[in-house]
Structure formats: C-alpha cells, structure tokens
Amino acid sequence: MAITLNQIAEICGVSRGTVDRALHNKGNVRPAVAERIKAVANEYGYTPNRAGLALSRASHPIRIGVIIISVQTPFMQIVLDAARREARRLATFSVEVIFRLSPSLDPVEQVSMIEELVEQHHISALAITPLDCLLVETKINELIDQRGIPVVTFNTDLPNIRRLCYVGQENLSSGRTVAELMRLVTRESGTVVTISSSWMYHSAFRERLKGFKEELLTPDSSLQLREVMLPNDDSNVVYEHTLRLLQEIPDLTGIYAITPGYAGVCSALVDSGRARGVHLIMHDEIPANLYELRRGVADFVIGQDAVQQGALPLSLLADYIQLKQQPPKEFYHTDIRVLLRHNIENLL
C-alpha cells in the first residue's frame, strides 16, 4: 500500500498540513523541512490522489489550450482524435481542454490563437505544434517567462523556446532512415527525387530533408539527387508534377515523398506504368498509405505514432499542474516505424 500524507507527517515530525503544503508547493514551509518531506515522499513512492485534487479544484478547473496546425491532413486528424480522447479522460479530473485548429501554416494566425487562449480563456498550460518563426518563438517564450504558463510542443519543435518537453519523432533520424532504405532498394544507382510542398515555418519537414541528404549523399554514393519543392500539397498538383518528373528523368529509381500529397505521387506512378520500377518511400501511417503499401506502389511507409503525439502532451501538462510532476525527460521521441507490406496486416 502506498504511503499516506499522515505517515509522511509522522516520519518527518510535522503536521499533515505542512506535508500537504510542501508537496503541492503552497508555500509557508521552511526550505529544509520541505526538502526533507519531498525526499521521504520520493523514497516511499508517494502518489498524490488526483481524484481528491479534482474535487478540491472543481470550482476552478484547470484549462489546457491545444493548438494544432495542418489539421485537415489525415495524419493530424489521428493526432486530434487522440487528443480529444485524452481530453475526455482528463475532464473527470477537472481539467478542461480548449482546442484551436488551423489548416494553414500562418504564424500571425497562430500567435492570435495563443493570445485568445490566454486572454479570453485564461489557460493554465499550452500544448502546441509550433510554427518555426521568430514571431511564434517570441510569443511562446513570453508566455513561459512572463506569465509562468508551461508549454509542451508536439509533432514539431522549436529548439530556442523554454518549453517543458517535446513529444514527436526525431525528424533528422527519420530522414536518415529513409535515405538508408533508399540506398538499399535502388542499389545506389540512378536518380532519386524528393517531393515536398513548402516547408516554410514547418521544422519537421525541413529536418527530414536535411537528414535524408546527409545520409544519401555520401562520398562513395553514385546516386544523383533532385529536389522538387511544390507550391502546395494538393494531390492534383503533386500528380501533375510527378508525371512530368517521370517523363523528364528516364533513370529515376526512387521518390521520397516528404510532405502530404502522397495520393498524387501514387496515382502518377500507376498511370505512368512505372510503379514497379520506381521505389517510393513516404511518411505517415494512414489508411491510404497502407493501402499503397499493400498493392505494391509504395516500398516503405515511415510511421511516427500519432496517438502518442496527441495524448501524451495533455497528460504531461495535467501531471505538471495538478501533481507538480516535472516531465522526467525533455524529449519524448516516438518510434520510427518502418512499415512494408509484409508487416501491416494487423494495421489495415
């Protein structure tokens, strides 16, 4: 049985109220005494009663703001669904989660969302997929430094903000993984094309490409690389550009689809008759991509655990606010899942 507040008080020779104030950082406890109380609590594995905390705070619920970008994409829909499920669970502990969703990559809009959550909804914490620009970075650091609002980033990260932690894939390693797979399947011959839409303000896409190039373009490799940046990830736009590339590059042996728009790449490969001759690797464990794996159009899909990215940031923030539990690590990197048609039967 876990140790109780009364037992900690008896061991430390103080009152139960003193133990409660020390463990929940309520003040009015001498530092040496508070340190002793916390040491005993840690030694005996004391766990605060979240249900009790919820009852005591029912009249003043904790509010966590959540901002998600590119919410129209199938992958981010899975992230959103997981976050909403976690929000329903936390609601039983007097935690209210307020969502703000954007289909765009607009820094001004994101800053406006942050300001609205703070000024109108008085959030206690923020989980965010941040855009990579100085405007957003400055606003988030202002929340942390001036208002004391804890922040967890997920899916994308900003290295220069003072957030609690990051939940998501290590994108440099993800790109390097794709490069290693591409070198194997192409036998390091021909031309490889990377296809992405504009990754301005989106650090994850940029890091994927950087890792891919670092691993692919080694001094001993004979592969040629051509980078294609499209104005957007509309499937029709991606389809037309991919068809053109297939016509222009006769020795095209591999395509790395970095950003959404995967359906356009797959359709172009099928319609051109080159689906069996050009190796395709793309991201995101979504039903449409798994289907392309199964029918042999794609060689590999790189998964990154959308469910964990949606749920864990809220859980970490709730623990930080209610239970005073600092996240034990700065980076919660999700698995880099390499999926191929022989290991996806249970996912379809």
Side-chain angles (χ1 to χ4, degrees):
M1 181 180 293
I3 194 170
T4 66
L5 289 181
N6 287 332
Q7 290 169 328
I8 295 173
E10 184 177 346
I11 293 171
C12 295
V14 297
S15 69
R16 184 185 186 282
T18 299
V19 173
D20 179 70
R21 290 195 302 276
L23 293 180
H24 299 113
N25 300 315
K26 296 179 180 178
N28 200 27
V29 181
R30 286 186 289 115
V33 174
E35 184 176 342
R36 165 69 173 154
I37 290 169
K38 291 177 180 179
V40 170
N42 288 333
E43 180 181 353
Y44 288 91
Y46 171 72
T47 302
N49 185 327
R50 175 171 264 155
L53 286 171
L55 287 173
S56 68
R57 298 181 181 185
S59 59
H60 300 286
I62 289 170
R63 293 187 177 93
I64 298 176
V66 178
I67 296 177
I68 300 179
I69 59 173
S70 302
V71 73
Q72 79 283 3
T73 64
F75 177 80
M76 294 309 290
Q77 281 292 313
I78 300 173
V79 173
L80 175 59
D81 288 345
R84 283 175 167 160
R85 287 194 299 272
E86 181 65 10
R88 288 193 292 271
R89 185 187 74 84
L90 291 173
T92 62
F93 302 110
S94 295
V95 177
E96 179 185 359
V97 180
I98 304 169
F99 290 92
R100 290 296 176 265
L101 312 174
S102 173
S104 70
L105 302 178
D106 182 351
V108 175
E109 179 191 51
Q110 186 162 87
V111 167
S112 295
M113 287 180 171
I114 294 171
E115 291 175 343
E116 184 232 341
L117 287 169
V118 172
E119 301 298 337
Q120 297 184 27
H121 297 280
H122 309 291
I123 58 171
S124 309
L126 177 66
I128 184 171
T129 51
L131 295 173
D132 188 6
C133 74
L134 184 60
L135 185 66
V136 173
E137 179 183 305
T138 301
K139 175 56 66 174
I140 292 176
N141 278 332
E142 177 187 303
L143 290 189
I144 297 167
D145 297 339
Q146 298 181 19
R147 294 179 177 266
I149 295 176
V151 174
V152 170
T153 58
F154 63 102
N155 187 253
T156 63
D157 194 21
L158 290 178
N160 295 322
I161 62 172
R162 291 173 282 281
R163 42 101 176 107
L164 287 179
C165 59
Y166 162 68
V167 179
Q169 198 166 71
E170 206 291 287
N171 289 291
L172 271 174
S173 295
S174 181
R176 292 185 181 121
T177 299
V178 174
E180 188 168 351
L181 292 170
M182 190 67 78
R183 292 177 69 175
L184 287 171
V185 294
T186 61
R187 299 182 181 180
E188 302 202 41
S189 65
T191 298
V192 171
V193 171
T194 61
I195 298 178
S196 62
S197 56
S198 176
W199 36 249
M200 182 181 292
Y201 308 131
H202 203 304
S203 61
F205 297 158
R206 184 169 59 253
E207 292 292 290
R208 287 176 187 173
L209 180 59
K210 180 181 178 183
F212 180 77
K213 290 167 63 177
E214 288 176 352
E215 184 67 26
L216 189 79
L217 301 177
T218 57
D220 61 332
S221 176
S222 58
L223 282 168
Q224 300 298 309
L225 177 64
R226 180 166 169 180
E227 299 177 47
V228 177
M229 179 74 70
L230 303 182
N232 58 61
D233 54 23
D234 177 80
S235 292
N236 293 324
V237 173
V238 176
Y239 173 82
E240 294 297 334
H241 278 80
T242 305
L243 270 183
R244 192 174 305 126
L245 289 167
L246 290 165
Q247 295 165 359
E248 293 175 357
I249 309 174
D251 70 337
L252 180 59
T253 55
I255 295 176
Y256 175 26
I258 298 175
T259 59
Y262 309 120
V265 177
C266 294
S267 296
L269 283 170
V270 172
D271 291 351
S272 68
R274 297 184 65 182
R276 300 294 177 181
V278 177
H279 300 283
L280 171 63
I281 305 177
M282 51 191 179
H283 287 270
D284 296 341
E285 196 174 319
I286 58 176
N289 288 356
L290 298 182
Y291 169 75
E292 299 297 351
L293 264 185
R294 191 174 193 179
R295 70 174 182 150
V297 175
D299 292 68
F300 302 100
V301 166
I302 308 301
Q304 55 173 319
D305 200 340
V307 172
Q308 184 179 19
Q309 291 187 40
L312 186 57
L314 299 185
S315 175
L316 290 169
L317 285 169
D319 286 350
Y320 181 79
I321 297 169
Q322 285 194 322
L323 308 182
K324 309 302 179 185
Q325 291 181 357
Q326 181 83 20
K329 55 186 180 180
E330 182 181 359
F331 298 101
Y332 289 82
H333 285 143
T334 56
D335 290 340
I336 299 174
R337 292 162 55 90
V338 179
L339 303 174
L340 58 161
R341 64 189 181 93
H342 298 294
N343 69 354
I344 61 169
E345 287 305 316
N346 63 327
L347 301 176
L348 294 172

